[in-house]
Structure formats: structure tokens, C-alpha cells
Amino acid sequence: MTNYHVLREFDTGVTRAELDEAVDRSRAAVEEMRGEGIGIAYIGSQVFDGEDGLARATMCRYDAPSEADVRDHSERAKLPLSSVFVTGTPLDGIAPESGVAMKAA
């Protein structure tokens, strides 16, 4: 299994009710595919809202055998698909602390 991130962009924005409907379609597509022996699993999503409160994009995570299966899922669920990314190796190092400002010279 490979972990994929799927960027879905909504040009005009979508409401929370429309996102809930999309989740139902996605769940049905995953169940259908699993019933066919395709080992796809939904991991979770991040929603990116515009200033108007409408969702402008989502980044959804899946475990799936292939990118083609991820794309098939989107088609079955009638969901937009802007880009598919394979989860890469985490970065080494230490993240900066939040709220830390540079000292004036």
C-alpha cells in the first residue's frame, strides 16, 4: 500500500453541506471498491476555507494500491481531482518554534 494525498480544488467554493454529501459519496465509492477486492482506505482530510467561509480546497489522504485506484475512486464518487501526490520521506531537522522573533541588532 502507498499513502496518497489528493488535492481537490473548488473554484466557486462549496458549503459544509456539500462537503458532507461528498463524504457520503466517497464512503460509498470506497466500500464499492473494497467489495471488488481493491484495498483502498480513506485516512482523513484537511479543508481549506476562503474568507467567505466556503471550502476552496481539500487535501484528502488515502492508502491505495495505485494512483489509478485513487483516480478511479474520485471518478466513482464524482469528486474533483486537481493533483495526486505520493507521501514522501519526512524532513529531518527541528521545526522552528512558533512565536519566536529575531532579536534586533
Side-chain angles (χ1 to χ4, degrees):
M1 281 296 205
T2 301
N3 188 255
Y4 294 93
H5 289 253
V6 178
L7 176 63
R8 303 184 194 286
E9 295 175 287
F10 311 104
D11 293 333
T12 59
V14 295
T15 65
R16 289 296 164 165
E18 290 169 317
L19 282 178
D20 289 342
E21 292 170 6
V23 168
D24 290 341
R25 292 193 311 272
S26 175
R27 183 178 300 117
V30 165
E31 290 175 8
E32 179 180 311
M33 293 174 76
R34 291 178 68 81
E36 296 170 6
I38 301 168
I40 189 168
Y42 171 73
I43 306 301
S45 295
Q46 181 68 47
V47 177
F48 302 96
D49 291 331
E51 290 183 14
D52 58 4
L54 295 176
R56 296 298 173 169
T58 60
M59 183 67 80
C60 305
R61 289 183 59 197
Y62 298 88
D63 278 334
S66 70
E67 181 177 329
D69 291 322
V70 172
R71 290 182 178 279
D72 182 29
H73 166 270
S74 292
E75 288 179 22
R76 292 182 192 216
K78 296 180 176 65
L79 297 171
L81 186 149
S82 303
S83 300
V84 177
F85 304 96
V86 174
T87 302
T89 305
L91 298 174
D92 289 332
I94 300 172
E97 295 180 32
S98 62
V100 175
M102 298 291 289
K103 290 185 178 182

